[in-house]
Amino acid sequence: MTLLTTIFAAVVCTILWYCSASGREMKIGILCWMYWGASLMWLVDAVFEYVSLRAAYFTPAPADLLNDFYLGLSVVALGLIIWLVIVLIKDPKGVVREALFRKKK
Amino acid sequence: MACFLVPAAEAVATTIAAKVIKTKESRAEAVFDSTEQTAQEMVEKIPFSQKLGWLNRLLWGGSALLCFEHVWHGEVVPWFPFLTAAADPSEASAMLHEMATTGVMMTVLVTAVWLGMLAVSSVIEKRTISEKQLKRCRRSVK
């Protein structure tokens, strides 16, 4: 479920990056790299788990499913926080600089 | 257990490599003196340091999110030795085995995907350069 959640996040971010110029300006690409990197790594994890569990891999217990989904959402939230910090530091639209400058005035 | 450490180690190596290559590229650009056509090709081609940056982002991003997953499962802790499996010798061997199998495969898959991206970008670069050259030829014929 964590893998699935991250893949969905990666696909949505990639579509946003491709379709929206302002999204590219807002460095959505960072989110794409992060989510795709994690998805690829979890894919390997899933393959190893499938090799050991076989068909049981596809029928997880509801509690495990829920915990994995909760983890997936937390991972997506962490990615968004990392992206937000990078955007605020790099300040591509100059909003932070403008706000600081206005404060000084 | 600690599989994310293998891609993280590769990320450290590729980040250093990207910095070194970027410095060399900027030096080469400074002394570059050649024909207009080659200069045009240089503009069209994506620098290798930038391409290496793609791999860096995939590895760093993936490792960071996987590290969080390990914290979630209590396998990474904020006190020494940071990995719970490292404290127990029997678990340490299982951890090393996981790093050697899952960790290495993660690194191999991410690097393979990056190599695929390099192949695609090189095809796009070549197409762009040949299109520009064709346009230039047509303009000179007119």
PDB file of all heavy atoms in Angstrom, chain A residues 33-38 40-42 44-45 48 67 70-71 74-75 78-79, chain B residues 7 54 57-59 61-63 65-66 68-69 72 101-102 105-106 109 117:
ATOM      1  N   TRP A  33      11.129  13.594  -8.520  1.00  0.00           N
ATOM      2  CA  TRP A  33      12.353  12.809  -8.288  1.00  0.00           C
ATOM      3  C   TRP A  33      12.245  12.032  -6.981  1.00  0.00           C
ATOM      4  O   TRP A  33      12.583  10.847  -6.928  1.00  0.00           O
ATOM      5  CB  TRP A  33      13.586  13.721  -8.234  1.00  0.00           C
ATOM      6  CG  TRP A  33      13.953  14.376  -9.524  1.00  0.00           C
ATOM      7  CD1 TRP A  33      13.937  15.710  -9.780  1.00  0.00           C
ATOM      8  CD2 TRP A  33      14.383  13.746 -10.731  1.00  0.00           C
ATOM      9  NE1 TRP A  33      14.327  15.947 -11.069  1.00  0.00           N
ATOM     10  CE2 TRP A  33      14.609  14.766 -11.677  1.00  0.00           C
ATOM     11  CE3 TRP A  33      14.592  12.421 -11.116  1.00  0.00           C
ATOM     12  CZ2 TRP A  33      15.047  14.505 -12.969  1.00  0.00           C
ATOM     13  CZ3 TRP A  33      15.024  12.167 -12.404  1.00  0.00           C
ATOM     14  CH2 TRP A  33      15.251  13.187 -13.315  1.00  0.00           C
ATOM     15  N   MET A  34      11.778  12.712  -5.939  1.00  0.00           N
ATOM     16  CA  MET A  34      11.699  12.080  -4.620  1.00  0.00           C
ATOM     17  C   MET A  34      10.757  10.884  -4.640  1.00  0.00           C
ATOM     18  O   MET A  34      11.113   9.787  -4.211  1.00  0.00           O
ATOM     19  CB  MET A  34      11.180  13.106  -3.603  1.00  0.00           C
ATOM     20  CG  MET A  34      12.219  13.515  -2.599  1.00  0.00           C
ATOM     21  SD  MET A  34      11.515  14.415  -1.241  1.00  0.00           S
ATOM     22  CE  MET A  34      10.763  15.823  -1.992  1.00  0.00           C
ATOM     23  N   TYR A  35       9.537  11.114  -5.158  1.00  0.00           N
ATOM     24  CA  TYR A  35       8.521  10.048  -5.140  1.00  0.00           C
ATOM     25  C   TYR A  35       8.895   8.903  -6.085  1.00  0.00           C
ATOM     26  O   TYR A  35       8.682   7.737  -5.758  1.00  0.00           O
ATOM     27  CB  TYR A  35       7.141  10.603  -5.493  1.00  0.00           C
ATOM     28  CG  TYR A  35       6.566  11.522  -4.422  1.00  0.00           C
ATOM     29  CD1 TYR A  35       5.731  12.578  -4.747  1.00  0.00           C
ATOM     30  CD2 TYR A  35       6.849  11.318  -3.077  1.00  0.00           C
ATOM     31  CE1 TYR A  35       5.203  13.414  -3.781  1.00  0.00           C
ATOM     32  CE2 TYR A  35       6.323  12.160  -2.101  1.00  0.00           C
ATOM     33  CZ  TYR A  35       5.507  13.199  -2.458  1.00  0.00           C
ATOM     34  OH  TYR A  35       4.987  14.026  -1.496  1.00  0.00           O
ATOM     35  N   TRP A  36       9.472   9.225  -7.256  1.00  0.00           N
ATOM     36  CA  TRP A  36       9.872   8.152  -8.171  1.00  0.00           C
ATOM     37  C   TRP A  36      11.029   7.348  -7.588  1.00  0.00           C
ATOM     38  O   TRP A  36      11.053   6.113  -7.694  1.00  0.00           O
ATOM     39  CB  TRP A  36      10.239   8.685  -9.567  1.00  0.00           C
ATOM     40  CG  TRP A  36       9.036   8.950 -10.424  1.00  0.00           C
ATOM     41  CD1 TRP A  36       8.669  10.134 -10.980  1.00  0.00           C
ATOM     42  CD2 TRP A  36       8.018   7.999 -10.823  1.00  0.00           C
ATOM     43  NE1 TRP A  36       7.488  10.000 -11.679  1.00  0.00           N
ATOM     44  CE2 TRP A  36       7.071   8.696 -11.603  1.00  0.00           C
ATOM     45  CE3 TRP A  36       7.809   6.642 -10.583  1.00  0.00           C
ATOM     46  CZ2 TRP A  36       5.951   8.072 -12.148  1.00  0.00           C
ATOM     47  CZ3 TRP A  36       6.681   6.024 -11.127  1.00  0.00           C
ATOM     48  CH2 TRP A  36       5.785   6.729 -11.906  1.00  0.00           C
ATOM     49  N   GLY A  37      11.980   8.028  -6.968  1.00  0.00           N
ATOM     50  CA  GLY A  37      13.112   7.336  -6.326  1.00  0.00           C
ATOM     51  C   GLY A  37      12.615   6.373  -5.265  1.00  0.00           C
ATOM     52  O   GLY A  37      12.994   5.189  -5.241  1.00  0.00           O
ATOM     53  N   ALA A  38      11.713   6.866  -4.403  1.00  0.00           N
ATOM     54  CA  ALA A  38      11.170   6.013  -3.330  1.00  0.00           C
ATOM     55  C   ALA A  38      10.339   4.878  -3.917  1.00  0.00           C
ATOM     56  O   ALA A  38      10.414   3.737  -3.430  1.00  0.00           O
ATOM     57  CB  ALA A  38      10.333   6.851  -2.386  1.00  0.00           C
ATOM     58  N   LEU A  40      10.686   3.367  -6.815  1.00  0.00           N
ATOM     59  CA  LEU A  40      11.578   2.333  -7.381  1.00  0.00           C
ATOM     60  C   LEU A  40      12.162   1.469  -6.266  1.00  0.00           C
ATOM     61  O   LEU A  40      12.234   0.245  -6.383  1.00  0.00           O
ATOM     62  CB  LEU A  40      12.711   2.989  -8.188  1.00  0.00           C
ATOM     63  CG  LEU A  40      12.314   3.628  -9.518  1.00  0.00           C
ATOM     64  CD1 LEU A  40      13.472   4.425 -10.080  1.00  0.00           C
ATOM     65  CD2 LEU A  40      11.881   2.567 -10.508  1.00  0.00           C
ATOM     66  N   MET A  41      12.564   2.122  -5.177  1.00  0.00           N
ATOM     67  CA  MET A  41      13.171   1.377  -4.069  1.00  0.00           C
ATOM     68  C   MET A  41      12.145   0.461  -3.398  1.00  0.00           C
ATOM     69  O   MET A  41      12.435  -0.683  -3.077  1.00  0.00           O
ATOM     70  CB  MET A  41      13.787   2.348  -3.065  1.00  0.00           C
ATOM     71  CG  MET A  41      15.015   3.041  -3.627  1.00  0.00           C
ATOM     72  SD  MET A  41      15.727   4.173  -2.459  1.00  0.00           S
ATOM     73  CE  MET A  41      16.817   5.095  -3.515  1.00  0.00           C
ATOM     74  N   TRP A  42      10.928   0.969  -3.215  1.00  0.00           N
ATOM     75  CA  TRP A  42       9.881   0.135  -2.600  1.00  0.00           C
ATOM     76  C   TRP A  42       9.431  -0.986  -3.534  1.00  0.00           C
ATOM     77  O   TRP A  42       8.960  -2.022  -3.083  1.00  0.00           O
ATOM     78  CB  TRP A  42       8.687   0.993  -2.158  1.00  0.00           C
ATOM     79  CG  TRP A  42       8.854   1.453  -0.748  1.00  0.00           C
ATOM     80  CD1 TRP A  42       9.248   0.688   0.322  1.00  0.00           C
ATOM     81  CD2 TRP A  42       8.656   2.769  -0.232  1.00  0.00           C
ATOM     82  NE1 TRP A  42       9.306   1.467   1.456  1.00  0.00           N
ATOM     83  CE2 TRP A  42       8.942   2.739   1.146  1.00  0.00           C
ATOM     84  CE3 TRP A  42       8.264   3.971  -0.802  1.00  0.00           C
ATOM     85  CZ2 TRP A  42       8.853   3.855   1.965  1.00  0.00           C
ATOM     86  CZ3 TRP A  42       8.160   5.082   0.005  1.00  0.00           C
ATOM     87  CH2 TRP A  42       8.452   5.027   1.374  1.00  0.00           C
ATOM     88  N   VAL A  44      11.449  -2.724  -5.387  1.00  0.00           N
ATOM     89  CA  VAL A  44      12.416  -3.803  -5.120  1.00  0.00           C
ATOM     90  C   VAL A  44      12.042  -4.515  -3.816  1.00  0.00           C
ATOM     91  O   VAL A  44      12.036  -5.750  -3.748  1.00  0.00           O
ATOM     92  CB  VAL A  44      13.859  -3.242  -5.056  1.00  0.00           C
ATOM     93  CG1 VAL A  44      14.842  -4.315  -4.621  1.00  0.00           C
ATOM     94  CG2 VAL A  44      14.264  -2.668  -6.390  1.00  0.00           C
ATOM     95  N   ASP A  45      11.698  -3.712  -2.814  1.00  0.00           N
ATOM     96  CA  ASP A  45      11.269  -4.261  -1.517  1.00  0.00           C
ATOM     97  C   ASP A  45      10.064  -5.188  -1.707  1.00  0.00           C
ATOM     98  O   ASP A  45      10.017  -6.293  -1.138  1.00  0.00           O
ATOM     99  CB  ASP A  45      10.884  -3.091  -0.604  1.00  0.00           C
ATOM    100  CG  ASP A  45      11.360  -3.304   0.824  1.00  0.00           C
ATOM    101  OD1 ASP A  45      12.275  -4.120   1.031  1.00  0.00           O
ATOM    102  OD2 ASP A  45      10.806  -2.647   1.723  1.00  0.00           O
ATOM    103  N   PHE A  48      11.030  -8.531  -3.364  1.00  0.00           N
ATOM    104  CA  PHE A  48      11.661  -9.446  -2.393  1.00  0.00           C
ATOM    105  C   PHE A  48      10.611 -10.041  -1.449  1.00  0.00           C
ATOM    106  O   PHE A  48      10.671 -11.224  -1.126  1.00  0.00           O
ATOM    107  CB  PHE A  48      12.754  -8.718  -1.595  1.00  0.00           C
ATOM    108  CG  PHE A  48      14.082  -8.739  -2.282  1.00  0.00           C
ATOM    109  CD1 PHE A  48      14.435  -7.743  -3.184  1.00  0.00           C
ATOM    110  CD2 PHE A  48      14.991  -9.764  -2.054  1.00  0.00           C
ATOM    111  CE1 PHE A  48      15.660  -7.761  -3.831  1.00  0.00           C
ATOM    112  CE2 PHE A  48      16.216  -9.788  -2.696  1.00  0.00           C
ATOM    113  CZ  PHE A  48      16.556  -8.782  -3.590  1.00  0.00           C
ATOM    114  N   ASN A  67      -2.159   0.292   8.215  1.00  0.00           N
ATOM    115  CA  ASN A  67      -0.891   0.855   8.705  1.00  0.00           C
ATOM    116  C   ASN A  67       0.004   1.271   7.545  1.00  0.00           C
ATOM    117  O   ASN A  67       0.620   2.335   7.579  1.00  0.00           O
ATOM    118  CB  ASN A  67      -0.187  -0.172   9.594  1.00  0.00           C
ATOM    119  CG  ASN A  67       1.051   0.408  10.245  1.00  0.00           C
ATOM    120  OD1 ASN A  67       2.156   0.156   9.790  1.00  0.00           O
ATOM    121  ND2 ASN A  67       0.873   1.204  11.281  1.00  0.00           N
ATOM    122  N   TYR A  70      -1.383   4.412   5.987  1.00  0.00           N
ATOM    123  CA  TYR A  70      -1.063   5.527   6.901  1.00  0.00           C
ATOM    124  C   TYR A  70       0.402   5.938   6.703  1.00  0.00           C
ATOM    125  O   TYR A  70       0.726   7.132   6.611  1.00  0.00           O
ATOM    126  CB  TYR A  70      -1.330   5.044   8.327  1.00  0.00           C
ATOM    127  CG  TYR A  70      -1.214   6.069   9.425  1.00  0.00           C
ATOM    128  CD1 TYR A  70      -1.454   7.414   9.204  1.00  0.00           C
ATOM    129  CD2 TYR A  70      -0.878   5.666  10.720  1.00  0.00           C
ATOM    130  CE1 TYR A  70      -1.347   8.330  10.234  1.00  0.00           C
ATOM    131  CE2 TYR A  70      -0.771   6.582  11.740  1.00  0.00           C
ATOM    132  CZ  TYR A  70      -1.000   7.911  11.497  1.00  0.00           C
ATOM    133  OH  TYR A  70      -0.887   8.806  12.517  1.00  0.00           O
ATOM    134  N   LEU A  71       1.274   4.928   6.576  1.00  0.00           N
ATOM    135  CA  LEU A  71       2.695   5.204   6.327  1.00  0.00           C
ATOM    136  C   LEU A  71       2.875   5.894   4.969  1.00  0.00           C
ATOM    137  O   LEU A  71       3.632   6.867   4.852  1.00  0.00           O
ATOM    138  CB  LEU A  71       3.495   3.894   6.371  1.00  0.00           C
ATOM    139  CG  LEU A  71       4.952   3.950   5.921  1.00  0.00           C
ATOM    140  CD1 LEU A  71       5.773   4.888   6.799  1.00  0.00           C
ATOM    141  CD2 LEU A  71       5.579   2.549   5.945  1.00  0.00           C
ATOM    142  N   SER A  74       1.921   9.420   5.212  1.00  0.00           N
ATOM    143  CA  SER A  74       2.948  10.160   5.976  1.00  0.00           C
ATOM    144  C   SER A  74       4.168  10.435   5.111  1.00  0.00           C
ATOM    145  O   SER A  74       4.771  11.508   5.192  1.00  0.00           O
ATOM    146  CB  SER A  74       3.368   9.351   7.204  1.00  0.00           C
ATOM    147  OG  SER A  74       2.258   9.032   7.974  1.00  0.00           O
ATOM    148  N   VAL A  75       4.520   9.455   4.266  1.00  0.00           N
ATOM    149  CA  VAL A  75       5.670   9.630   3.355  1.00  0.00           C
ATOM    150  C   VAL A  75       5.381  10.759   2.366  1.00  0.00           C
ATOM    151  O   VAL A  75       6.246  11.615   2.106  1.00  0.00           O
ATOM    152  CB  VAL A  75       5.968   8.295   2.629  1.00  0.00           C
ATOM    153  CG1 VAL A  75       6.818   8.518   1.396  1.00  0.00           C
ATOM    154  CG2 VAL A  75       6.650   7.307   3.569  1.00  0.00           C
ATOM    155  N   LEU A  78       5.698  13.984   4.177  1.00  0.00           N
ATOM    156  CA  LEU A  78       7.109  14.329   4.410  1.00  0.00           C
ATOM    157  C   LEU A  78       7.741  14.894   3.136  1.00  0.00           C
ATOM    158  O   LEU A  78       8.467  15.896   3.177  1.00  0.00           O
ATOM    159  CB  LEU A  78       7.886  13.099   4.896  1.00  0.00           C
ATOM    160  CG  LEU A  78       9.371  13.321   5.126  1.00  0.00           C
ATOM    161  CD1 LEU A  78       9.619  14.242   6.319  1.00  0.00           C
ATOM    162  CD2 LEU A  78      10.102  11.990   5.354  1.00  0.00           C
ATOM    163  N   GLY A  79       7.429  14.243   1.996  1.00  0.00           N
ATOM    164  CA  GLY A  79       7.937  14.733   0.700  1.00  0.00           C
ATOM    165  C   GLY A  79       7.483  16.154   0.441  1.00  0.00           C
ATOM    166  O   GLY A  79       8.270  17.003   0.009  1.00  0.00           O
TER     167      GLY A  79
ATOM    168  N   PRO B   7      21.703   2.761  -1.371  1.00  0.00           N
ATOM    169  CA  PRO B   7      21.493   3.882  -2.300  1.00  0.00           C
ATOM    170  C   PRO B   7      21.987   5.222  -1.746  1.00  0.00           C
ATOM    171  O   PRO B   7      22.448   6.074  -2.513  1.00  0.00           O
ATOM    172  CB  PRO B   7      19.975   3.904  -2.530  1.00  0.00           C
ATOM    173  CG  PRO B   7      19.380   2.897  -1.649  1.00  0.00           C
ATOM    174  CD  PRO B   7      20.444   2.036  -1.105  1.00  0.00           C
ATOM    175  N   TRP B  54      20.235  14.187 -11.953  1.00  0.00           N
ATOM    176  CA  TRP B  54      18.966  13.425 -11.958  1.00  0.00           C
ATOM    177  C   TRP B  54      19.107  12.197 -11.066  1.00  0.00           C
ATOM    178  O   TRP B  54      18.220  11.891 -10.277  1.00  0.00           O
ATOM    179  CB  TRP B  54      18.596  12.978 -13.371  1.00  0.00           C
ATOM    180  CG  TRP B  54      18.473  14.065 -14.390  1.00  0.00           C
ATOM    181  CD1 TRP B  54      18.283  15.390 -14.145  1.00  0.00           C
ATOM    182  CD2 TRP B  54      18.534  13.922 -15.806  1.00  0.00           C
ATOM    183  NE1 TRP B  54      18.234  16.079 -15.331  1.00  0.00           N
ATOM    184  CE2 TRP B  54      18.375  15.212 -16.366  1.00  0.00           C
ATOM    185  CE3 TRP B  54      18.698  12.850 -16.678  1.00  0.00           C
ATOM    186  CZ2 TRP B  54      18.379  15.434 -17.736  1.00  0.00           C
ATOM    187  CZ3 TRP B  54      18.698  13.057 -18.046  1.00  0.00           C
ATOM    188  CH2 TRP B  54      18.545  14.347 -18.565  1.00  0.00           C
ATOM    189  N   ARG B  57      19.155  13.152  -7.387  1.00  0.00           N
ATOM    190  CA  ARG B  57      17.833  13.459  -6.830  1.00  0.00           C
ATOM    191  C   ARG B  57      17.016  12.191  -6.581  1.00  0.00           C
ATOM    192  O   ARG B  57      16.338  12.082  -5.568  1.00  0.00           O
ATOM    193  CB  ARG B  57      17.083  14.421  -7.757  1.00  0.00           C
ATOM    194  CG  ARG B  57      17.617  15.821  -7.639  1.00  0.00           C
ATOM    195  CD  ARG B  57      16.976  16.757  -8.623  1.00  0.00           C
ATOM    196  NE  ARG B  57      17.947  17.778  -8.999  1.00  0.00           N
ATOM    197  CZ  ARG B  57      18.090  18.251 -10.218  1.00  0.00           C
ATOM    198  NH1 ARG B  57      17.346  17.809 -11.198  1.00  0.00           N
ATOM    199  NH2 ARG B  57      18.979  19.182 -10.468  1.00  0.00           N
ATOM    200  N   LEU B  58      17.107  11.252  -7.541  1.00  0.00           N
ATOM    201  CA  LEU B  58      16.385   9.977  -7.355  1.00  0.00           C
ATOM    202  C   LEU B  58      16.893   9.256  -6.111  1.00  0.00           C
ATOM    203  O   LEU B  58      16.114   8.779  -5.284  1.00  0.00           O
ATOM    204  CB  LEU B  58      16.607   9.069  -8.573  1.00  0.00           C
ATOM    205  CG  LEU B  58      15.719   9.264  -9.799  1.00  0.00           C
ATOM    206  CD1 LEU B  58      16.183   8.345 -10.920  1.00  0.00           C
ATOM    207  CD2 LEU B  58      14.271   8.969  -9.492  1.00  0.00           C
ATOM    208  N   LEU B  59      18.233   9.207  -5.980  1.00  0.00           N
ATOM    209  CA  LEU B  59      18.833   8.455  -4.865  1.00  0.00           C
ATOM    210  C   LEU B  59      18.599   9.146  -3.529  1.00  0.00           C
ATOM    211  O   LEU B  59      18.184   8.509  -2.553  1.00  0.00           O
ATOM    212  CB  LEU B  59      20.336   8.270  -5.110  1.00  0.00           C
ATOM    213  CG  LEU B  59      20.714   7.291  -6.224  1.00  0.00           C
ATOM    214  CD1 LEU B  59      22.193   7.434  -6.564  1.00  0.00           C
ATOM    215  CD2 LEU B  59      20.415   5.854  -5.841  1.00  0.00           C
ATOM    216  N   GLY B  61      16.295  11.475  -2.740  1.00  0.00           N
ATOM    217  CA  GLY B  61      14.864  11.510  -2.431  1.00  0.00           C
ATOM    218  C   GLY B  61      14.366  10.168  -1.946  1.00  0.00           C
ATOM    219  O   GLY B  61      13.713  10.071  -0.898  1.00  0.00           O
ATOM    220  N   GLY B  62      14.706   9.124  -2.692  1.00  0.00           N
ATOM    221  CA  GLY B  62      14.282   7.775  -2.316  1.00  0.00           C
ATOM    222  C   GLY B  62      14.851   7.362  -0.971  1.00  0.00           C
ATOM    223  O   GLY B  62      14.122   6.829  -0.116  1.00  0.00           O
ATOM    224  N   SER B  63      16.140   7.627  -0.748  1.00  0.00           N
ATOM    225  CA  SER B  63      16.781   7.241   0.523  1.00  0.00           C
ATOM    226  C   SER B  63      16.146   7.981   1.699  1.00  0.00           C
ATOM    227  O   SER B  63      15.936   7.381   2.760  1.00  0.00           O
ATOM    228  CB  SER B  63      18.276   7.561   0.491  1.00  0.00           C
ATOM    229  OG  SER B  63      18.886   6.892  -0.558  1.00  0.00           O
ATOM    230  N   LEU B  65      13.061   9.175   1.989  1.00  0.00           N
ATOM    231  CA  LEU B  65      11.719   8.662   2.292  1.00  0.00           C
ATOM    232  C   LEU B  65      11.791   7.237   2.869  1.00  0.00           C
ATOM    233  O   LEU B  65      11.019   6.884   3.755  1.00  0.00           O
ATOM    234  CB  LEU B  65      10.828   8.709   1.043  1.00  0.00           C
ATOM    235  CG  LEU B  65      10.546  10.120   0.487  1.00  0.00           C
ATOM    236  CD1 LEU B  65       9.570  10.069  -0.660  1.00  0.00           C
ATOM    237  CD2 LEU B  65      10.015  11.065   1.549  1.00  0.00           C
ATOM    238  N   LEU B  66      12.742   6.453   2.386  1.00  0.00           N
ATOM    239  CA  LEU B  66      12.918   5.100   2.944  1.00  0.00           C
ATOM    240  C   LEU B  66      13.452   5.155   4.368  1.00  0.00           C
ATOM    241  O   LEU B  66      13.095   4.319   5.205  1.00  0.00           O
ATOM    242  CB  LEU B  66      13.844   4.260   2.062  1.00  0.00           C
ATOM    243  CG  LEU B  66      13.091   3.200   1.249  1.00  0.00           C
ATOM    244  CD1 LEU B  66      12.419   3.852   0.049  1.00  0.00           C
ATOM    245  CD2 LEU B  66      13.999   2.095   0.798  1.00  0.00           C
ATOM    246  N   PHE B  68      12.706   7.419   6.474  1.00  0.00           N
ATOM    247  CA  PHE B  68      11.520   7.717   7.290  1.00  0.00           C
ATOM    248  C   PHE B  68      10.725   6.429   7.571  1.00  0.00           C
ATOM    249  O   PHE B  68      10.253   6.219   8.691  1.00  0.00           O
ATOM    250  CB  PHE B  68      10.640   8.746   6.570  1.00  0.00           C
ATOM    251  CG  PHE B  68       9.351   9.030   7.283  1.00  0.00           C
ATOM    252  CD1 PHE B  68       9.337   9.773   8.454  1.00  0.00           C
ATOM    253  CD2 PHE B  68       8.143   8.543   6.801  1.00  0.00           C
ATOM    254  CE1 PHE B  68       8.150  10.019   9.118  1.00  0.00           C
ATOM    255  CE2 PHE B  68       6.947   8.794   7.463  1.00  0.00           C
ATOM    256  CZ  PHE B  68       6.956   9.537   8.624  1.00  0.00           C
ATOM    257  N   GLU B  69      10.614   5.575   6.546  1.00  0.00           N
ATOM    258  CA  GLU B  69       9.897   4.300   6.719  1.00  0.00           C
ATOM    259  C   GLU B  69      10.576   3.444   7.800  1.00  0.00           C
ATOM    260  O   GLU B  69       9.918   2.803   8.611  1.00  0.00           O
ATOM    261  CB  GLU B  69       9.864   3.535   5.394  1.00  0.00           C
ATOM    262  CG  GLU B  69       8.996   2.290   5.444  1.00  0.00           C
ATOM    263  CD  GLU B  69       9.636   1.077   4.823  1.00  0.00           C
ATOM    264  OE1 GLU B  69      10.449   1.217   3.902  1.00  0.00           O
ATOM    265  OE2 GLU B  69       9.334  -0.043   5.292  1.00  0.00           O
ATOM    266  N   TRP B  72       9.767   4.789  11.113  1.00  0.00           N
ATOM    267  CA  TRP B  72       8.377   4.398  11.383  1.00  0.00           C
ATOM    268  C   TRP B  72       8.312   2.980  11.986  1.00  0.00           C
ATOM    269  O   TRP B  72       7.556   2.716  12.911  1.00  0.00           O
ATOM    270  CB  TRP B  72       7.601   4.452  10.066  1.00  0.00           C
ATOM    271  CG  TRP B  72       6.150   4.121  10.130  1.00  0.00           C
ATOM    272  CD1 TRP B  72       5.591   2.867  10.184  1.00  0.00           C
ATOM    273  CD2 TRP B  72       5.052   5.036  10.132  1.00  0.00           C
ATOM    274  NE1 TRP B  72       4.237   2.949  10.199  1.00  0.00           N
ATOM    275  CE2 TRP B  72       3.862   4.264  10.179  1.00  0.00           C
ATOM    276  CE3 TRP B  72       4.949   6.424  10.089  1.00  0.00           C
ATOM    277  CZ2 TRP B  72       2.601   4.839  10.183  1.00  0.00           C
ATOM    278  CZ3 TRP B  72       3.691   6.993  10.089  1.00  0.00           C
ATOM    279  CH2 TRP B  72       2.545   6.215  10.149  1.00  0.00           C
ATOM    280  N   THR B 101      21.437  -7.672  -0.472  1.00  0.00           N
ATOM    281  CA  THR B 101      20.454  -8.134  -1.470  1.00  0.00           C
ATOM    282  C   THR B 101      19.511  -6.993  -1.872  1.00  0.00           C
ATOM    283  O   THR B 101      19.647  -6.432  -2.955  1.00  0.00           O
ATOM    284  CB  THR B 101      19.640  -9.325  -0.922  1.00  0.00           C
ATOM    285  OG1 THR B 101      19.115  -8.967   0.375  1.00  0.00           O
ATOM    286  CG2 THR B 101      20.506 -10.566  -0.783  1.00  0.00           C
ATOM    287  N   THR B 102      18.600  -6.624  -0.969  1.00  0.00           N
ATOM    288  CA  THR B 102      17.605  -5.588  -1.282  1.00  0.00           C
ATOM    289  C   THR B 102      18.263  -4.243  -1.583  1.00  0.00           C
ATOM    290  O   THR B 102      17.929  -3.593  -2.576  1.00  0.00           O
ATOM    291  CB  THR B 102      16.608  -5.428  -0.110  1.00  0.00           C
ATOM    292  OG1 THR B 102      16.235  -6.721   0.358  1.00  0.00           O
ATOM    293  CG2 THR B 102      15.379  -4.685  -0.533  1.00  0.00           C
ATOM    294  N   MET B 105      20.068  -4.255  -4.915  1.00  0.00           N
ATOM    295  CA  MET B 105      19.094  -4.300  -6.019  1.00  0.00           C
ATOM    296  C   MET B 105      18.392  -2.955  -6.200  1.00  0.00           C
ATOM    297  O   MET B 105      18.119  -2.547  -7.332  1.00  0.00           O
ATOM    298  CB  MET B 105      18.052  -5.402  -5.759  1.00  0.00           C
ATOM    299  CG  MET B 105      18.516  -6.783  -6.154  1.00  0.00           C
ATOM    300  SD  MET B 105      19.183  -6.898  -7.819  1.00  0.00           S
ATOM    301  CE  MET B 105      17.742  -6.538  -8.782  1.00  0.00           C
ATOM    302  N   MET B 106      18.110  -2.269  -5.088  1.00  0.00           N
ATOM    303  CA  MET B 106      17.494  -0.929  -5.163  1.00  0.00           C
ATOM    304  C   MET B 106      18.412   0.016  -5.937  1.00  0.00           C
ATOM    305  O   MET B 106      17.976   0.730  -6.847  1.00  0.00           O
ATOM    306  CB  MET B 106      17.291  -0.360  -3.752  1.00  0.00           C
ATOM    307  CG  MET B 106      16.108  -0.893  -3.027  1.00  0.00           C
ATOM    308  SD  MET B 106      16.117  -0.277  -1.333  1.00  0.00           S
ATOM    309  CE  MET B 106      14.614  -1.000  -0.736  1.00  0.00           C
ATOM    310  N   LEU B 109      18.522  -0.944  -9.640  1.00  0.00           N
ATOM    311  CA  LEU B 109      17.298  -0.564 -10.375  1.00  0.00           C
ATOM    312  C   LEU B 109      17.266   0.948 -10.634  1.00  0.00           C
ATOM    313  O   LEU B 109      16.997   1.376 -11.760  1.00  0.00           O
ATOM    314  CB  LEU B 109      16.044  -0.998  -9.610  1.00  0.00           C
ATOM    315  CG  LEU B 109      14.727  -0.644 -10.308  1.00  0.00           C
ATOM    316  CD1 LEU B 109      14.548  -1.428 -11.600  1.00  0.00           C
ATOM    317  CD2 LEU B 109      13.530  -0.876  -9.413  1.00  0.00           C
ATOM    318  N   MET B 117      17.033   6.782 -18.880  1.00  0.00           N
ATOM    319  CA  MET B 117      16.745   8.206 -19.077  1.00  0.00           C
ATOM    320  C   MET B 117      17.842   8.871 -19.906  1.00  0.00           C
ATOM    321  O   MET B 117      17.571   9.724 -20.749  1.00  0.00           O
ATOM    322  CB  MET B 117      16.629   8.914 -17.717  1.00  0.00           C
ATOM    323  CG  MET B 117      15.347   8.605 -16.999  1.00  0.00           C
ATOM    324  SD  MET B 117      15.383   9.201 -15.314  1.00  0.00           S
ATOM    325  CE  MET B 117      15.556  10.938 -15.582  1.00  0.00           C
TER     326      MET B 117
END
